[in-house]
Amino acid sequence: MRTLISTAFISLDGVVEGPGGEPGYRNSGWTFKDIEFVPKAFEIKEREQQESTAILMGRISYEAFSPVWPDMAEFAHYKTLPKYVVSTTLTDDKLVSNWGETTILRTLEEVAALKETDGGPIIVHGSAKLNQALSDAGLIDRYHLLVFPLLLGAGKRLFSATDKDTQKLKLIEHEAYSNGLQKQVFDIVG
């Protein structure tokens, strides 16, 4: 079974919306505003690219990343990986042609079937709504979180507010950095 890894830049109060400057959110671009850049804090992002064998995302994240990431040198490895987009509305004619193989999945059952295939880790970037659905369905195996020392209040959250059974996590890696960022890597336990 393949490991499904959710990776996120997240505020201390759980907001994941607009970290890179996406329009339409008042705190957009919060990852680099007034926070000293410490390269070591972002080592996990490079490691994710090297260890991932596929990318999973929702339609909104696909539509944000696909016009930009294919031409960015720092995401060159992702261009070679198969991409899977979970969407009930996206059609094949809306897929970009310069970002490698992309498959549209229509249901969480198709995501579960993908996890059953041979291969290595699948990384989930962005995709707040998809992350919530994957978590609620018990499909996420690991979280890679870079927690920023910010309270953003309103905004899309990584974790759903669904009333569900407790999910236990095991902290397998962590580090705090001089700029207040914290790396937290959790495996889902049982």
Side-chain angles (χ1 to χ4, degrees), residues 97-182:
S97 61
N98 65 334
W99 203 20
E101 175 190 348
T102 303
T103 303
I104 300 170
L105 304 177
R106 299 291 181 201
T107 66
L108 292 180
E109 289 78 16
E110 289 182 88
V111 175
L114 174 63
K115 283 186 62 174
E116 296 292 330
T117 62
D118 290 334
I122 303 166
I123 195 90
V124 182
H125 281 284
S127 308
K129 184 176 175 183
L130 176 60
N131 264 287
Q132 292 176 6
L134 293 168
S135 176
D136 288 349
L139 294 173
I140 294 176
D141 301 297
R142 177 174 292 160
Y143 287 99
H144 287 184
L145 305 176
L146 274 180
V147 182
F148 284 71
L150 301 168
L151 299 174
L152 298 174
K156 292 179 185 174
R157 304 208 177 261
L158 183 63
F159 303 105
S160 79
T162 301
D163 185 13
K164 60 184 176 184
D165 290 340
T166 301
Q167 281 187 314
K168 295 181 182 174
L169 306 175
K170 179 180 179 183
L171 183 65
I172 61 168
E173 185 180 341
H174 65 91
E175 191 165 351
Y177 303 97
S178 61
N179 62 356
L181 263 70
Q182 297 175 39

